[in-house]
Amino acid sequence: MIWLVLLALSGPQTPPDPGARAFQRCAACHSLREDARSPAPSLGGVVGRRAGSVRSFAYSDAMRAAGRRGLVWDEATLERFLADPEAVVPGTDMPYQGGSAAERATVIDWLRRRR
């Protein structure tokens, strides 16, 4: 009975954000904080950012070269990269391919909203 009172007092429950839930896979290696000590670069503000440009991260030669060639992480480039990292940046250290097209779109939209 007391749990009903506690539940009522806790207010309306907000459903979890699908993007935040989908990002949990990414969060195993990536953070949204630039100063975080993560095995992969921060994804905070990634949409619109030049590849290989987070100062606090030691990128692979391939990713630094892609940035020097002008690769910018827009929605279309992120979609292609998450679907097949090696096709977009040959020699990348990114070991993961990002699930289904719907999952990738959800994560990319969520990251876009975190500029």
Side-chain angles (χ1 to χ4, degrees):
M1 178 66 115
I2 194 152
W3 64 272
L4 284 173
V5 173
L6 291 174
L7 184 61
L9 292 175
S10 68
Q13 300 298 311
T14 305
D17 183 316
R21 191 172 49 247
F23 182 76
Q24 290 308 303
R25 272 189 192 170
C26 309
C29 296
H30 293 275
S31 172
L32 294 177
R33 292 187 10 244
E34 188 170 333
D35 63 344
R37 294 280 182 215
S38 300
S42 168
L43 295 181
V46 69
V47 178
R49 185 170 70 207
R50 185 175 44 86
S53 64
V54 173
R55 296 179 203 237
S56 62
F57 189 76
Y59 288 96
S60 67
D61 292 341
M63 191 61 71
R64 282 194 307 275
R68 286 192 301 270
R69 286 191 307 274
L71 180 70
V72 172
W73 298 120
D74 59 20
E75 287 95 342
T77 304
L78 283 165
E79 162 56 31
R80 289 192 324 272
F81 184 74
L82 291 175
D84 187 356
E86 190 68 28
V88 177
V89 181
T92 185
D93 290 339
M94 172 79 158
Y96 177 76
Q97 293 182 358
S100 71
E103 290 170 318
R104 292 190 304 269
T106 298
V107 168
I108 292 166
D109 179 62
W110 189 77
L111 288 170
R112 183 187 50 76
R113 291 183 279 134
R114 266 132 200 86
R115 284 189 190 182

